[in-house]
Amino acid sequence: MKLFGDYYRDLYSASGILGEQNCGDAKRTSFWADTDQRTIETARALAESMLRGCKIEVNAKAAGAK
């Protein structure tokens, strides 16, 4: 997933969706996952590699939610 994050960072930066790597984008970028812990960790790895060095919150449904 970290390679995907790097890829998407480059892609979105080239298209102007993401700006400089200064954590400014972290405030306006959301990551969501379902209830499965593996999916939450996947979202976290993607977020951390897209926005390296920034504090990223990964949101998820509550355990047991459908």
Side-chain angles (χ1 to χ4, degrees):
M1 285 316 299
K2 294 198 180 234
L3 290 175
F4 278 116
D6 291 340
Y7 170 79
Y8 285 120
R9 175 74 198 176
D10 291 343
L11 178 69
Y12 295 150
S13 293
S15 65
I17 295 172
L18 293 177
E20 299 293 322
Q21 290 193 6
N22 62 3
C23 295
D25 293 319
K27 296 174 185 157
R28 60 184 186 91
T29 306
S30 298
F31 293 88
W32 280 88
D34 65 13
T35 59
D36 184 65
Q37 186 62 31
R38 179 178 58 193
T39 307
I40 294 168
E41 291 304 317
T42 298
R44 186 169 288 122
L46 182 64
E48 288 174 355
S49 61
M50 282 183 68
L51 301 167
R52 291 200 184 275
C54 303
K55 184 175 192 246
I56 306 297
E57 181 178 344
V58 173
N59 301 291
K61 290 183 177 182
K66 293 187 178 195

